[in-house]
Amino acid sequence: IGLHFFSPANVMKLLEVVRGEVTADDVILTCMSFAKRIAKVPVLVGVCHGFVGNRILFQRQRQAEQLALAGAAPADIDRVLYDFGLPMGPFQMSDLAGLDIGWNRETSSGSTVRERLCEAGRLGQKSGGGYYDYDENRNRAPAPIAVELFEEFAAKAGITRREIGDEEVLDRLLLPMINEGAKILAEGIATRASDIDVVYVYGYCWPDYRGGPMHYAGTLGLDTVVEKLRAYHDRTGDDSFEPAPLLVELAEQGRGFS
């Protein structure tokens, strides 16, 4: 069994309790009870890359990069998510955590904007610069070099940059998260949609008044979610917008995740 704490572990309430194929029930019970004794909120999850929280987060981070290549400024992408109710957006979060997590100077190839920033010594807040520039009090300002790098990589990839509205930014950040959550449910990695919501409220500071990503999907209507996903899939060709079969099934039946 695994106990996956969230950073900083002395502050964040979530604890993903990761069961294996043959983990005994009494072991699971012991870990769930232990989590409560140390004032954490435990959620039982299965084994996959990223478990529940980080597997879904990967889809959001990936879309943030794609939006920045397509023409949206990193600061605008972060602002849209902040206005939605999260304490910070994907680029600010990356700067806070450190861009060099998982990065190795010896093997770095400069093949992504993040690698180029790390190669330039821009590791995030701790180095005074990442996607943003920071003063001595860690107050941030948009970094021209980050925008320039996204423009450079877009040109290399033949991407025609354009103005991107806030609605599209929000859709492209959140819809793939919902879609990935549906896949996680279908695979049995999470038992209930509400477990995914608990992961996001307590592990990623999702605004609790919006109820977590799966609850939020229900407020939109799953038929609307499927329709939007298909439209973005047709527009972008990105398979992360291909609606999950469970999502389509529930939408066609007029049901929600609950």
Side-chain angles (χ1 to χ4, degrees):
I1 198 162
L3 300 180
H4 183 210
F5 290 82
F6 283 69
S7 180
N10 63 315
V11 174
M12 300 304 291
K13 302 290 288 184
L14 178 66
L15 182 65
E16 285 183 323
V17 178
V18 188
R19 55 175 169 76
E21 285 188 18
V22 294
T23 305
D25 289 346
D26 60 339
V27 174
I28 294 173
L29 177 60
T30 297
C31 289
M32 298 292 277
S33 300
F34 168 72
K36 293 179 181 179
R37 276 169 43 209
I38 60 172
K40 298 301 181 187
V41 177
V43 175
L44 185 64
V45 303
V47 178
C48 66
H49 184 70
F51 307 132
V52 169
N54 284 337
R55 174 172 163 180
I56 291 174
L57 185 68
F58 172 79
Q59 295 298 331
R60 192 188 80 184
Q61 297 298 106
R62 181 174 172 275
Q63 285 303 317
E65 296 277 340
Q66 293 299 314
L67 284 163
L69 288 170
D76 286 333
I77 295 169
D78 284 350
R79 173 185 53 78
V80 169
L81 214 54
Y82 179 81
D83 290 345
F84 179 76
L86 277 92
M88 63 184 69
F91 295 104
Q92 187 184 351
M93 187 188 74
S94 295
D95 273 0
L96 178 63
L99 301 187
D100 56 333
I101 292 177
W103 175 73
N104 187 314
R105 183 174 295 278
E106 284 68 37
T107 59
S108 186
S109 61
S111 58
T112 65
V113 171
R114 171 176 163 265
E115 284 192 340
R116 288 278 294 277
L117 289 171
C118 288
E119 289 166 3
R122 298 180 63 89
L123 309 180
Q125 277 194 23
K126 60 189 176 185
S127 68
Y131 292 108
Y132 292 89
D133 292 324
Y134 298 89
D135 64 17
E136 63 276 5
N137 296 315
R138 297 201 176 194
N139 296 313
R140 72 185 186 281
I145 186 175
V147 175
E148 292 166 5
L149 282 171
F150 278 115
E151 291 173 348
E152 176 187 329
F153 275 79
K156 289 179 181 177
I159 297 171
T160 301
R161 290 169 62 83
R162 59 184 173 86
E163 292 288 329
I164 299 177
D166 289 359
E167 181 180 358
E168 181 179 348
V169 170
L170 189 63
D171 281 348
R172 289 180 60 176
L173 291 176
L174 300 188
L175 292 175
M177 296 176 69
I178 296 166
N179 205 33
E180 197 69 22
K183 296 174 185 177
I184 284 170
L185 285 172
E187 295 169 17
I189 301 300
T191 305
R192 295 172 290 271
S194 58
D195 284 351
I196 297 174
D197 290 336
V198 169
V199 165
Y200 262 81
V201 168
Y202 287 99
Y204 298 87
C205 300
W206 182 282
D208 52 8
Y209 58 86
R210 294 194 186 274
M214 310 314 282
H215 178 82
Y216 175 66
T219 66
L220 296 175
L222 297 193
D223 54 343
T224 299
V225 172
V226 169
E227 180 183 349
K228 282 176 171 278
L229 282 167
R230 284 173 170 159
Y232 283 113
H233 183 260
D234 291 343
R235 185 188 305 178
T236 66
D238 186 339
D239 287 342
S240 62
F241 290 111
E242 179 68 37
L246 176 62
L247 194 56
V248 174
E249 178 185 341
L250 293 174
E252 289 177 346
Q253 295 173 357
R255 296 169 56 198
F257 286 116
S258 62

